Amino acid sequence: MANKAQLILEGKTYEFPITEGTEGEKGIEIGDLLEKTGAVTLDFGYKNTGATKSAITFLDGDKGILRYRGYSIEELAAKSTFLEVAYLLIFGELPMKDHLQKFSDDIRQHTMVHEDIKKILDGFPSTSHPMGVLASLFCAQTAFYPEAMDPNRSAEGVYLSIVRALAKMPTFAAWAYKNAMGHPVNYPDNKLDYCSRFLKMLYALPAEDYHVDPVVADALDKLLILHADHEQNCSTSTVRIVGSSKASIYSSISAGINALWGPLHGGANQEVILMLEEIRKDGGDTEKWINKAKDKNSGFRLMGFGHRVYKNFDPRAKIIKKAADDVLKKLGVNDPVLEIASKLEEVALRDSYFIERKLYPNVDFYSGIIYRALGIPVDMFTVMFAMGRLPGWIAQWKEMRENKEPIGRPRQIYVGQKLRSYVPIEKR
Ligand code: CMC
C-alpha cells in the first residue's frame, strides 16, 4: 500500500495516491473523491486541507521554521533587503546585482499615481480606516490600467502590473493616512529607497525639510521582510481564490487586503496595542487579564497569542522581540506597554491553559510596539502588514496563474430545510 491511502466508506474500500513535498509533507490526493464515492470532505476553516502545491514558502509550525524559496527567515531578516526578498518571492531566485537594480528602477519609475486618484481619496471621510481606503484604491487601479483585466496578459504585461502594484503601495498607504489626518498628501521622493520614500510621504508636513531617520527606515525594512509571505493563510488564500476566477491582480490583492484587515488576522497588531494600553490604564494587573482570556464567557482573547500553524513558537516573533528591544534602545524610547507585554508573555507561558493549547506570542505581539516606537499610528499597523505581505500575495497570484489552477469552489454539506411548499403570506 506504499504511497496510497485507503478510505473505507459504507463497507467499500477506495484508494487515493499520496503526494509528498520536498520537505516530506504528505498530502492525500482526493481530486476524484466525489466522483468515486459520492462524498466530500468536511473541514471547517480548512485546518487539514491543502489547496495547492506551492514552491514559494515552507513553514513547519511544530519546529517554528519559516523559509522563503528555501532561505531561512532569520538569515533573510539579518542580511537582505525588502526589495531583494520581494524579487526572490516573486521570481524564485535571489537577484543578481543588475537584476535588482533594474527591478528597483522599474518600481521607482511607477511610484506616482494618477491625479484622479486624489478625487477618489477626497470622497472618503477622514473617519475612514486606512485599510478600507487602501483596498479601494488598489481595486481602483483596474480603472486606470484596464489592460490588467486581460486574463491572457503577456508576461511583460504581468511584470508591469507587478511593478506598478509594488510601486504604488507606499503612495496609497501614506495617502490613506494623510486622508485620515485631513492633511494634504505628499508625492513620492524618488531619490529615496522604498521604505524611506514611504516614511517621508507619511510624515512630512508642507514646507518642512523632512529627513528620514535611517534607524527607522531599516527597522521598517526588516518588519516588511518578516511579513512578506506566510503560505496559504486567510488573505493569501483569498488572493488565490479571487485570482482563480481570472480577476485582475489588483482586484485579487484588494480582496487580500480586506481579508487581512480582520482582527484574527493582520488586524491583530492594532488590537495588541489597544489591549496593552487598556491593561495599563486598568492598573497593569496582567494576571487579571490572563484570567479573562481563559474565561470563555468573557469573549476576550489575548491578542497576539496563538497561531493556526505555529504550535511551538513563531520564528518571526523571536526576531521581532529582539528587534523591538534594539529599536527602542536606538531611538531612546521608553514605552511602558513593553513592560506589560513582557509580563503578559511571562505569565501566559507558564499558565497551563496556554501551555496545553500551545498558545505562544505570534508575529503581531511585538510588531505593534516597534511600529509605535517608529511613530506609526495605530490605525496604520495593519496597513504596514499589507505593505509587507504584498510581494507574497503577488508571488502566490502569479504561481496560481502560471500553474493554470482551476477556479476555487469548495463544496458544502447542506443542513437546511428539506423541500417544502410555499405558503401565501396571509396563511402563515
Ligand atoms: N487567547 C485565549 N484563548 C485562545 C487564544 C487567545 N489568543 N487563541 C486560541 N485560544 C484558545 C481557543 O479559545 C481554543 O480553546 P478551546 O480548545 O478550549 O476551545 C483553543 O485555544 C484553540 O483556538 P482556535 O480558535 O480553535 O485556534 P485557531 O487555530 O482556529 O485560531 C488564531 C488561531 C490566531 C485565530 C487564534 O489563536 C486567535 O484568535 N489569536 C488571537 C488573534 C491573533 O493574535 N491573531 C494574529 C495571528 S498571527 C498574524 C497572522 O498571520 O495573521
Side-chain angles (χ1 to χ4, degrees):
M1 247 358 78
N3 290 326
K4 291 250 188 276
Q6 283 190 338
L7 169 74
I8 303 170
L9 184 68
E10 291 161 348
K12 212 169 155 200
T13 303
Y14 302 90
E15 279 187 358
F16 298 94
I18 291 179
T19 193
E20 198 168 319
T22 42
E23 292 288 343
E25 298 162 295
K26 287 188 177 55
I28 305 166
E29 289 197 42
I30 53 152
D32 55 0
L33 178 75
L34 180 61
E35 196 185 314
K36 270 183 175 166
T37 68
V40 298
T41 55
L42 182 61
D43 183 19
F44 289 106
Y46 310 120
K47 290 193 180 195
N48 307 277
T49 299
T52 191
K53 287 184 187 176
S54 178
I56 301 169
T57 289
F58 172 67
L59 195 165
D60 184 326
D62 290 327
K63 296 193 185 126
I65 292 174
L66 174 62
R67 295 182 200 142
Y68 299 159
R69 301 280 188 187
Y71 297 100
S72 81
I73 190 66
E74 289 81 3
E75 211 178 356
L76 290 171
K79 301 178 185 166
S80 185
T81 63
F82 177 61
L83 279 194
E84 194 181 14
V85 166
Y87 186 101
L88 170 72
L89 285 168
I90 297 168
F91 303 109
E93 293 297 339
L94 282 171
M96 303 303 278
K97 217 171 174 181
D98 53 337
H99 292 153
L100 185 58
Q101 188 62 53
K102 180 178 180 321
F103 188 52
S104 310
D105 290 347
D106 290 344
I107 290 173
R108 205 180 294 273
Q109 203 189 323
H110 290 279
T111 53
M112 286 290 283
V113 300
H114 197 289
E115 275 295 288
D116 284 352
I117 284 282
K118 268 168 65 186
K119 292 186 192 150
I120 302 176
L121 194 68
D122 284 345
F124 284 99
S126 56
T127 46
S128 311
H129 193 287
M131 279 297 273
V133 175
L134 183 68
S136 307
L137 296 186
F138 233 96
C139 199
Q141 288 309 285
T142 48
F144 296 91
Y145 307 110
E147 65 278 10
M149 290 186 284
D150 176 3
N152 302 313
R153 206 151 186 235
S154 66
E156 296 74 41
V158 169
Y159 176 79
L160 184 59
S161 293
I162 289 174
V163 159
R164 280 189 172 132
L166 285 162
K168 294 177 198 312
M169 172 60 116
T171 314
F172 290 154
W175 284 20
Y177 172 64
K178 288 289 188 194
N179 179 66
M181 294 294 288
H183 288 174
V185 298
N186 290 316
Y187 288 95
D189 178 347
N190 282 338
K191 292 190 295 302
L192 300 176
D193 62 67
Y194 197 80
C195 287
S196 305
R197 194 186 307 139
F198 165 71
L199 290 165
K200 188 168 175 185
M201 280 190 280
L202 189 72
Y203 293 134
L205 296 173
E208 189 194 30
D209 193 13
Y210 183 84
H211 291 287
V212 179
D213 182 340
V215 171
V216 175
D218 286 354
L220 181 60
D221 199 80
K222 193 189 283 260
L223 283 165
L224 298 188
I225 293 175
L226 294 178
H227 285 94
D229 195 48
H230 212 231
E231 53 119 300
Q232 309 311 315
N233 54 79
C234 175
S235 56
T236 302
S237 303
T238 301
V239 169
R240 284 186 91 123
I241 209 160
V242 173
S244 76
S245 74
K246 299 209 188 301
S248 78
I249 185 169
Y250 300 120
S251 356
S252 306
I253 288 170
S254 172
I257 294 170
N258 279 312
L260 186 75
W261 192 0
L264 295 190
H265 192 10
N269 54 16
Q270 170 169 352
E271 298 300 323
V272 170
I273 283 289
L274 298 176
M275 173 188 79
L276 293 174
E277 275 296 352
E278 208 181 330
I279 298 176
R280 190 172 73 98
K281 280 193 207 125
D282 189 45
D285 182 353
T286 41
E287 295 268 4
K288 175 180 156 189
W289 287 81
I290 293 278
N291 287 336
K292 197 172 166 192
K294 286 155 58 176
D295 175 7
K296 301 279 181 224
N297 297 321
S298 72
F300 171 74
R301 280 190 170 197
L302 206 55
M303 297 316 285
F305 259 75
H307 201 275
R308 170 59 61 79
V309 287
Y310 293 121
K311 300 300 176 193
N312 191 346
F313 67 94
D314 180 340
R316 303 165 301 171
K318 267 195 166 176
I319 302 172
I320 284 201
K321 189 179 178 184
K322 163 122 192 15
D325 284 342
D326 290 352
V327 167
L328 263 60
K329 222 176 271 162
K330 275 190 205 158
L331 297 175
V333 174
N334 186 11
D335 192 338
V337 300
L338 184 63
E339 203 186 312
I340 293 182
S342 299
K343 251 167 70 186
L344 212 53
E345 178 182 354
E346 201 190 305
V347 177
L349 292 185
R350 52 182 162 75
D351 189 295
S352 59
Y353 174 95
F354 291 87
I355 295 168
E356 278 159 22
R357 289 169 182 76
K358 301 189 171 180
L359 301 170
Y360 298 87
N362 59 48
V363 67
D364 285 333
F365 195 63
Y366 285 102
S367 66
I369 292 171
I370 309 192
Y371 287 138
R372 212 155 84 137
L374 302 185
I376 291 173
V378 175
D379 268 5
M380 285 294 285
F381 288 4
T382 315
V383 171
M384 298 294 98
F385 194 154
M387 244 173 89
R389 185 54 54 86
L390 181 61
W393 287 333
I394 294 173
Q396 302 270 353
W397 176 88
K398 183 167 167 281
E399 181 181 70
M400 176 273 312
R401 189 178 181 273
E402 286 167 359
N403 288 352
K404 299 193 173 16
E405 291 183 13
I407 186 166
R409 203 303 185 186
R411 293 280 176 161
Q412 64 165 19
I413 300 295
Y414 175 70
V415 294
Q417 297 282 353
K418 285 193 175 271
L419 179 67
R420 44 187 177 160
S421 290
Y422 176 79
V423 181
I425 198 156
E426 58 280 5
K427 293 197 175 160
R428 273 175 227 161

